[in-house]
Amino acid sequence: MALDIKQGPRAKKSLGQNFLQDKNTANRIVDALKIEADDHVIEIGPGPGALTHLIHDRKPAWFTILEKDNHWAHEHKRQPPAGDPELQVVLTDALLFPWENLTSDKPWKVIGNLPYNVASPLMWDILSKATGLKRAVFMIQKEVGDRIVAAPSSKQYGALSVWLQSFCKPKREFIVPPGVFIPRPKVDSAVLSFVPIPVEERDFDPAALSWLLKVTFQQRRKQLQKILKGCIASGIDDALEKAGVVGTARPETLTTRQFQLLADALKSCPKK
Ligand code: SAM
């Protein structure tokens, strides 16, 4: 059973607190994580625990929750779910968590109904840094979910699409309407699952890709050659050719692979 939200403080907007009240939806979210007996599960932002007890019921080998709100972290410490696994409660900002420590020595799974104000940077970090991740499931604003699964040349396609699709295969599982939360958000939410691409198949430089995405999508209406001329001193034409990209193309038309190839090719070019 989740903790009683009526016994807690008012939901904090600054922490993106919209608490899920529908058990059927909560069960579907937890089902999407496909928990197995040897899994090491981390839940981000449990709040009163709509997902927490359902995760615990599925008996992973190890279960930790990361919560920034002192009240809810304390309440979970005071009233942990009975039985194994023992619930580890960490009062922290998930943005500061060392996700790179989730290495392949353990089967890691991460889940969360993410606070909308930090969802994108959190997913950006977790999915690129946690090399031992087996699967992740996040509930986020539907509009952010649309951006994550977007294809090239669509309005939603951007840095977040290219970045996350470079590290994993995202899939939209289902849509959740505002009426199942207290307080009620203004927009629909979406639940997405993420299956990481095996590390040995990732043949690109993340730092170079991150740099290129930031530079190009800040000026997504401009032609690539014009954007690059503003920050690269020489070698642009060769790099574009290596990546199989024409200079007059706009960033939003490039595939994920073309971005990775162009980022690698530009690495040796002197920056301005
Ligand atoms: N899991 C609960 C549910 O589904 O009802 C709560 C979800 S609510 C959308 C987001 C939760 O994340 C809140 O409990 C909030 O306190 C917590 N939170 C907000 N920012 C956080 C951060 N940076 N690190 C960890 N938890 C955070």
Side-chain angles (χ1 to χ4, degrees), residues 178-253:
V180 297
F181 299 93
I182 293 181
R184 200 186 155 105
K186 290 200 178 71
V187 294
D188 279 341
S189 302
V191 175
L192 269 75
S193 62
F194 299 84
V195 177
I197 294 167
V199 176
E200 53 284 3
E201 289 173 27
R202 298 179 196 167
D203 56 348
F204 61 93
D205 180 339
L209 179 62
S210 166
W211 176 83
L212 183 61
L213 291 175
K214 281 175 187 157
V215 166
T216 50
F217 279 109
Q218 270 164 13
Q219 315 171 66
R220 60 185 290 147
R221 300 265 155 250
K222 272 196 188 172
Q223 294 180 357
L224 268 172
Q225 59 198 8
K226 292 196 177 134
I227 299 172
L228 294 175
K229 267 186 196 146
C231 47
I232 303 273
S234 63
I236 297 172
D237 289 345
D238 283 352
L240 286 167
E241 200 183 317
K242 257 195 210 162
V245 177
V246 289
T248 52
R250 293 180 206 288
E252 67 209 42
T253 63

Side-chain angles (χ1 to χ4, degrees), residues 66-178:
L66 310 180
E67 175 57 66
K68 194 175 173 185
D69 186 322
N70 196 22
H71 171 81
W72 293 117
H74 179 76
E75 284 304 298
H76 285 292
K77 272 190 196 161
R78 220 167 54 84
Q79 310 176 57
D84 287 336
E86 186 188 338
L87 184 68
Q88 323 273 337
V89 182
V90 185
L91 174 64
T92 189
D93 181 340
L95 281 170
L96 304 177
F97 191 77
W99 296 106
E100 62 281 4
N101 289 355
L102 272 54
T103 53
S104 58
D105 55 338
K106 304 258 170 29
W108 297 101
K109 290 190 177 167
V110 181
I111 187 168
N113 170 11
L114 297 184
Y116 72 97
N117 45 347
V118 290
S120 297
L122 260 175
M123 291 184 286
W124 183 284
D125 272 7
I126 296 168
L127 295 161
S128 60
K129 288 182 179 167
T131 51
L133 192 68
K134 252 174 86 182
R135 189 175 178 85
V137 170
F138 297 125
M139 177 149 63
I140 50 182
Q141 287 184 306
K142 178 182 169 292
E143 174 268 326
V144 178
D146 290 346
R147 285 201 269 134
I148 291 172
V149 297
S153 299
S154 64
K155 217 170 75 194
Q156 292 90 349
Y157 189 68
L160 192 64
S161 336
V162 179
W163 182 255
L164 295 188
Q165 290 175 29
S166 293
F167 293 94
C168 57
K169 293 195 187 318
K171 181 183 166 206
R172 193 168 89 182
E173 297 283 345
F174 55 96
I175 301 292
V176 182

